[in-house]
Amino acid sequence: MATPQIPTLSNEVSKNLEVITQIEPFVRTAIETLLVDVNTCWQPTDFLPDMSKEDALDQVRQLRERAAGIPDEVIVSLIGNMITEEALPSYQTYFNLLDGINTEHSVTSENAWVTWSRQWTSEENRHGDLLNKYLYLSGRADMRQVEVTIQTLISNGFDANTDNDPYQAMIYTSFQERATKISHNNTGKLASKAGDNVLSRICTTIAGDEGRHERAYKTFMREIFDIDPNGAMLAFEKMMRKQIAMPALLIDKDNDRNMFARFSAITQKIGIYTTWDYAKIIEHLVEFWKIESVTGLTGAAAKAQVYLSKLPERYLRVAERVKAPEEISLVWLSC
């Protein structure tokens, strides 16, 4: 009987794993400086009615009165943001399955990358909890349909289309954290305009968390660019050619409800997250990683540098031509 062959790592994968291991001390520093102390950071109850107080129902009534003035489109966008945040089990699983991240295959490992994944997702977990409770108390959402959507999204899993490559994953998360920061900030502005200053503060606070996480992932990737500019440049090009898939994309897997498309149309129409934002994120990352001035590139990586340097302008031209949808179909709202 033939002896089974054990797959060997390619030179490219082996090199990437070595770099990922090399920057673990930098990740440890990020855990200490860019994540927050669980005993002192904000928690969802800081923004919600205190149900242990005698005036709890009055607090709920006030919340509902404020929420009543928020346009339906903003509520739908808020629900979409919340559903994305609630799918956290998938995101931590995804991160721990990346090549070179969790070599011990233990989610309780003290490895810097695994520790980061746990603490990052624990911070993110507050976002979904807070928005879920706010929406439940507001009476503005069909919570059963929302809950079905959350369960469906988690059941369907998550595919960032990063080929299990930690380089591409760092680019994806850099982009996605900035996108969620923008989305929450813009939702907060519309909530404030509608007269709900508490919801505005909620969205701004969540956006602040996303901003810290964005800084971490961008600096992780900057370290990779410093150590392996050729590999980093090729990974950036791959992700941009594939385009960034939004985390909630799979809520429509195996059905024809088109919820994600409808949600995306709403965020485009009311300016919460638009094609223009997508283009500006590319522009920001190209500038942050100083793509045009990276030296020592060879072959395909040098060609990738030229492509990436011109990409922001190309996407900005596309964004200028994109028109907001004239009609939108709302989802997840209570009757």
Side-chain angles (χ1 to χ4, degrees):
M1 185 173 62
T3 302
Q5 295 296 309
I6 299 175
T8 57
L9 296 176
S10 69
N11 290 338
E12 181 71 15
V13 172
S14 296
K15 179 260 298 174
N16 289 6
L17 300 189
E18 182 179 338
V19 172
I20 288 297
T21 301
Q22 192 172 337
I23 66 173
E24 280 190 17
F26 188 80
V27 178
R28 185 71 63 185
T29 299
I31 292 170
E32 296 168 355
T33 59
L34 289 177
L35 297 180
V36 293
D37 183 348
V38 66
N39 295 303
T40 58
C41 69
W42 69 265
Q43 295 296 340
T45 50
D46 298 336
F47 298 87
L48 297 167
D50 186 343
M51 302 308 290
S52 69
K53 301 296 185 182
E54 289 187 2
D55 68 342
L57 294 182
D58 288 334
Q59 294 180 45
V60 173
R61 177 181 52 76
Q62 292 167 10
L63 184 154
R64 290 171 69 92
E65 288 174 353
R66 292 192 305 268
I70 300 174
D72 287 346
E73 294 85 354
V74 178
I75 291 293
V76 170
S77 178
L78 189 68
I79 294 169
N81 287 345
M82 180 268 285
I83 288 169
T84 299
E85 300 280 7
E86 290 279 56
L88 280 169
S90 298
Y91 308 151
Q92 185 172 146
T93 300
Y94 156 75
F95 198 85
N96 277 281
L97 288 175
L98 294 168
D99 286 335
I101 295 296
N102 193 345
T103 55
E104 299 170 50
H105 304 293
S106 169
V107 292
T108 61
S109 168
E110 293 304 312
N111 168 286
W113 284 112
V114 183
T115 302
W116 166 267
S117 77
R118 289 197 306 269
Q119 294 192 23
W120 161 57
T121 50
S122 72
E123 287 194 5
E124 292 277 346
N125 186 66
R126 299 171 304 158
H127 304 168
D129 282 351
L130 174 52
L131 295 178
N132 195 314
K133 290 170 183 172
Y134 170 89
L135 286 162
Y136 173 76
L137 293 172
S138 76
R140 294 295 306 277
D142 179 347
M143 289 306 296
R144 192 178 197 286
Q145 182 58 61
V146 169
E147 289 160 356
V148 168
T149 304
I150 293 169
Q151 185 172 350
T152 299
L153 179 58
I154 296 174
S155 296
N156 289 341
F158 172 63
D159 182 9
N161 199 20
T162 56
D163 302 327
N164 212 37
D165 175 9
Y167 286 16
Q168 292 183 61
M170 299 306 153
I171 292 162
Y172 178 88
T173 46
S174 296
F175 191 106
Q176 193 57 52
E177 294 288 349
R178 189 169 183 84
T180 51
K181 178 183 73 174
I182 291 168
S183 182
H184 285 299
N185 261 330
N186 287 337
T187 303
K189 291 175 183 176
L190 292 176
S192 178
K193 185 177 179 180
D196 192 337
N197 291 329
V198 175
L199 178 58
S200 177
R201 187 159 57 91
I202 287 171
C203 294
T204 301
T205 301
I206 292 173
D209 280 359
E210 306 292 12
R212 284 188 294 104
H213 301 160
E214 174 202 348
R215 288 196 297 277
Y217 285 113
K218 288 190 308 188
T219 51
F220 295 163
M221 195 61 209
R222 185 169 60 192
E223 290 294 302
I224 294 173
F225 265 105
D226 288 344
I227 298 169
D228 181 17
N230 282 284
M233 194 70 70
L234 289 170
F236 193 12
E237 180 197 26
K238 288 175 184 176
M239 284 309 301
M240 291 301 96
R241 287 192 183 278
K242 287 184 285 192
Q243 299 187 336
I244 300 295
M246 296 296 106
L249 182 63
L250 293 181
I251 58 175
D252 287 319
K253 183 182 178 183
D254 299 328
N255 66 59
D256 57 359
R257 291 173 297 174
N258 295 319
M259 281 188 172
F260 182 77
R262 292 154 71 186
F263 163 60
S264 298
I266 290 167
T267 61
Q268 175 77 29
K269 185 172 181 63
I270 64 177
I272 283 180
Y273 183 73
T274 67
T275 307
W276 180 263
D277 293 317
Y278 188 98
K280 293 299 286 185
I281 293 173
I282 296 174
E283 181 180 59
H284 172 78
L285 294 178
V286 166
E287 291 176 356
F288 185 86
W289 292 322
K290 300 182 173 145
I291 295 301
E292 293 187 44
S293 60
V294 174
T295 58
L297 300 175
T298 59
K303 293 179 181 177
Q305 181 182 40
V306 174
Y307 167 78
L308 291 165
S309 297
K310 296 178 180 178
L311 195 60
E313 183 181 352
R314 183 182 305 171
Y315 267 95
L316 288 169
R317 287 199 303 267
V318 170
E320 289 173 353
R321 297 195 298 268
V322 172
K323 295 181 180 180
E326 295 182 5
E327 295 185 6
I328 52 177
S329 177
L330 302 179
V331 291
W332 301 311
L333 293 179
S334 61
C335 298

